[in-house]
Amino acid sequence: MKSSLAHAKILVSEDDGNKAKGYRTSCDEELGSKIFEEKLRKFKKELNRNYESLIRTQIPYESLEEPITMADTKPLIASYPITLEQLNKKIPEVLKETGIEKCIQCGTCTGSCPSGRRTAFRTRVVIRKALLGLREDLLKSNDIWLCTTCYTCYERCPRKISIIEAIIALRNMAAAQGFMLPRHKEISKYLVSYGHLVPINEPNKKRRTELGLSEVPPTVHSHPEALEEVKKLLEVTGFTKLVG
Amino acid sequence: MKVLGELRFAFFLGCIMPNRYPGLEASVRRVFEKLGIELVDMKGASCCPAPGVVRSFKFDTWVALGARNLSIAEEMGLDIVTGCSGCYGTLRDIWYEHREKKEIRDKVDYYLSQIGKSFKGKIKVKHVLEVLHFDVGVEKLKEFIKKPLSNIKAAVHYGCHILKPSDKRPWKEGTEKPRFFDELVEVTGAKSIDWKDKFMCCGAGGGVRSGALDVALHMTKEKIENAYASGADCIVNACSFCHLQFDTGQIEINKSYGTSFNMPIIYYTQLLGLAMGLSPEELGLHQNNVSVEPLLRKLGVN
Ligand code: SF4
Ligand code: SF4
């Protein structure tokens, strides 16, 4: 319910904005009709009642008026790291390098998404919300965590938008804000302790021996000094603190 | 004329291959040995780190640990080969971004200097299939086939990160209908069959297996159903995480959906190894969760 209403707000607002600028919108024909005016009023009433906080986080429409350059269609990658300082900036600005402002909302991404096929996750909506800067809605929702990073949408997007880079950037922001799934925190701790997200265990030591492999692989598992290096990097990049 | 004996690689293991499916590791090592390709251990390598989770939580950690792994191979003076498409995604993408972007080079320099290491981008990152396809080649592989797997119908699962993002991958066939993996399977004598959603994700990546297991398994279930519908004898993969998702996942699916799937899951070098005359035990096939007996019986191996 929540997400469909939030979505409705986005669509209504988009049409409002375009109308004001004199652009044709998909709703032009309907716009004059009483039914549409009635629908619009009802939507706005509900949304204002339930989504004040979301509306507050929405960015002004001026940023959508930036001209889209057709020339640059090579994939663009987000700028990292996403620092706390940047978190206070508008999401579309932070994600600018992913090219999301070129999105034409065609839905090819959603139509290609194996995760969206069985969940309410809609890639196109995530991109739209990011453009609008619906920060809380994005960072607190499960949607951004349902992407398997299969890259199908990226390969098919007619605007060559770096969709996965955008989702990864949003996940980095969410994690920095403390929105991490409990299980993700749990497995991260294995990396911090062992240098492997999936460390060796007794049954697999046995399997290795059976196969004539070394009981423990020649990785950090066999080299304590190497594990110290990994721990140092986890420390200086802030990972240990993030998942601690 | 290629002389296989001159091929040497730093063998990057990752986590799942050595620590959950050592049979896959054994199969890569034995097949490469037979082909005369030398694999040298990367002492002290760590988790790649996983692109779906670590990169999602903290981008810099992903870059720093990935660059450390790359630096180990660079010190050895060898290109990396890995049999896990997740590791491949991480190492190849970082390698690529390091080459393309100063911002990433600065990060790598800074973080690696903290542990007295450096990476200059002098080595390459390859997938096991990439070595077999480009460096060895299907024609050469044919010479090594001793026991063609003639009556086997294989549902080939490419997986995602071996193919995509395509601008950072070596294949020149696009991502909608490539053929290189099918060709590698068919050289063993098995038939690569058409199946619905062949190129769909296994469901495990992006932190979905760890974060939303039900969603991940639902995807895997759809793939296994499609494989059954096509009359496949097995699903052949080229990624240790896909392998885990199909094999361990199948047990989980049977538990939560009450199904009784028992579709054999074969990693590519296990399939190739069988055709080269290696025994199922040498290739670790008996260590799968889902029994491969029906397949071996059909082959007349056991
Ligand atoms: S496929 Fe690309 S352009 Fe189309 S909606 Fe998705 S992100 Fe936007
Ligand atoms: S990369 Fe993520 S959003 Fe894109 S199609 Fe795959 S699962 Fe969906």
Side-chain angles (χ1 to χ4, degrees), chain A residues 108-117 121-124 126 143-144 146-155 163-164 167 171, chain B residues 160-161 164 201 205 208 219:
Chain A
T108 304
C109 47
T110 295
S112 305
C113 183
S115 184
R117 207 190 260 193
F121 164 48
R122 297 290 175 265
T123 319
R124 178 187 62 83
V126 166
D143 283 6
I144 54 170
L146 290 177
C147 166
T148 65
T149 69
C150 75
Y151 283 88
T152 313
C153 55
Y154 167 73
E155 296 292 337
I163 302 168
I164 295 86
I167 290 173
R171 287 179 173 188
Chain B
C160 304
H161 299 129
K164 301 169 274 186
C201 173
V208 177
M219 252 181 257

Side-chain angles (χ1 to χ4, degrees), chain A residues 117-118 149 154-155 208, chain B residues 25 161 166-167 176 197 222:
Chain A
R117 207 190 260 193
R118 65 208 79 246
T149 69
Y154 167 73
E155 296 292 337
R208 294 185 62 84
Chain B
E25 180 185 334
H161 299 129
S166 59
D167 42 355
E176 298 291 345
D197 286 330
E222 197 179 323

Side-chain angles (χ1 to χ4, degrees), chain B residues 38 55 57 60 67 79 83 145 289:
Chain B
E38 192 183 345
R55 180 173 57 147
F57 307 154
D60 273 21
D79 289 346
I145 304 301
N289 283 313

Side-chain angles (χ1 to χ4, degrees), chain B residues 131-190:
Chain B
V131 171
L132 296 174
H133 176 81
F134 289 113
D135 296 322
V136 180
V138 169
E139 285 310 310
K140 186 88 197 160
L141 271 183
K142 273 184 193 152
E143 297 169 17
F144 291 87
I145 304 301
K146 299 271 165 328
K147 294 182 179 170
L149 316 175
S150 328
N151 51 352
I152 293 299
K153 283 183 275 178
V156 177
H157 169 79
Y158 276 71
C160 304
H161 299 129
I162 193 170
L163 291 171
K164 301 169 274 186
S166 59
D167 42 355
K168 295 178 186 166
R169 297 294 179 269
W171 321 106
K172 305 276 179 282
E173 306 172 80
T175 58
E176 298 291 345
K177 223 176 183 335
R179 283 285 305 162
F180 65 88
F181 196 0
D182 305 86
E183 284 162 13
L184 286 170
V185 165
E186 292 193 327
V187 86
T188 68

Side-chain angles (χ1 to χ4, degrees), chain A residues 9-234:
Chain A
K9 168 72 190 170
I10 294 164
L11 293 179
V12 169
S13 309
E14 180 187 21
D15 280 349
D16 272 353
N18 286 339
K19 186 74 181 167
K21 285 180 280 175
Y23 297 153
R24 242 191 94 84
T25 73
S26 56
C27 296
D28 267 8
E29 280 134 51
E30 239 192 320
L31 266 179
S33 77
K34 272 206 173 95
I35 306 161
F36 184 77
E37 295 298 337
E38 181 53 30
K39 262 201 260 173
L40 191 65
R41 212 176 36 247
K42 248 175 93 185
F43 266 142
K44 284 191 165 171
K45 213 172 122 197
E46 263 181 69
L47 285 161
N48 288 339
R49 197 170 56 236
N50 298 322
Y51 293 99
E52 271 179 6
S53 63
L54 287 184
I55 292 159
R56 263 206 311 275
T57 59
Q58 211 166 300
I59 55 152
Y61 291 106
E62 289 85 84
S63 65
L64 296 179
E65 288 174 5
E66 290 283 319
I68 294 161
T69 58
M70 302 289 283
D72 190 6
T73 50
K74 77 173 191 339
L76 299 155
I77 313 297
S79 175
Y80 294 92
I82 308 296
T83 60
L84 269 178
E85 196 193 328
Q86 277 171 304
L87 289 182
N88 300 328
K89 291 187 193 163
K90 296 163 191 164
I91 284 184
E93 256 177 59
V94 177
L95 300 189
K96 199 167 172 50
E97 279 187 66
T98 63
I100 55 168
E101 77 271 27
K102 294 185 298 188
C103 175
I104 51 171
Q105 288 287 290
C106 66
T108 304
C109 47
T110 295
S112 305
C113 183
S115 184
R117 207 190 260 193
R118 65 208 79 246
T119 65
F121 164 48
R122 297 290 175 265
T123 319
R124 178 187 62 83
V125 176
V126 166
I127 299 298
R128 189 74 185 132
K129 284 180 176 174
L131 268 170
L132 292 170
L134 294 172
R135 184 168 168 275
E136 283 179 53
D137 197 31
L138 281 168
L139 302 191
K140 289 185 186 173
S141 87
N142 282 336
D143 283 6
I144 54 170
W145 298 102
L146 290 177
C147 166
T148 65
T149 69
C150 75
Y151 283 88
T152 313
C153 55
Y154 167 73
E155 296 292 337
R156 293 180 182 168
C157 171
R159 308 289 306 187
K160 265 294 174 211
I161 291 163
S162 296
I163 302 168
I164 295 86
E165 309 293 336
I167 290 173
I168 296 289
L170 290 167
R171 287 179 173 188
N172 269 247
M173 289 184 221
Q177 297 283 292
F179 300 119
M180 248 177 107
L181 297 168
R183 178 73 186 137
H184 282 161
K185 272 205 168 172
E186 227 174 88
I187 56 165
S188 296
K189 285 177 184 155
Y190 289 120
L191 183 63
V192 174
S193 310
Y194 304 106
H196 279 295
L197 268 171
V198 184
I200 191 76
N201 55 15
E202 288 310 318
N204 282 291
K205 281 187 189 170
K206 219 176 125 222
R207 287 198 183 108
R208 294 185 62 84
T209 319
E210 236 179 71
L211 290 163
L213 299 170
S214 59
E215 187 184 39
V216 172
T219 60
V220 276
H221 275 335
S222 307
H223 297 271
E225 71 294 347
L227 180 58
E228 285 316 307
E229 289 177 7
V230 170
K231 284 185 174 173
K232 177 90 194 271
L233 290 177
L234 289 168

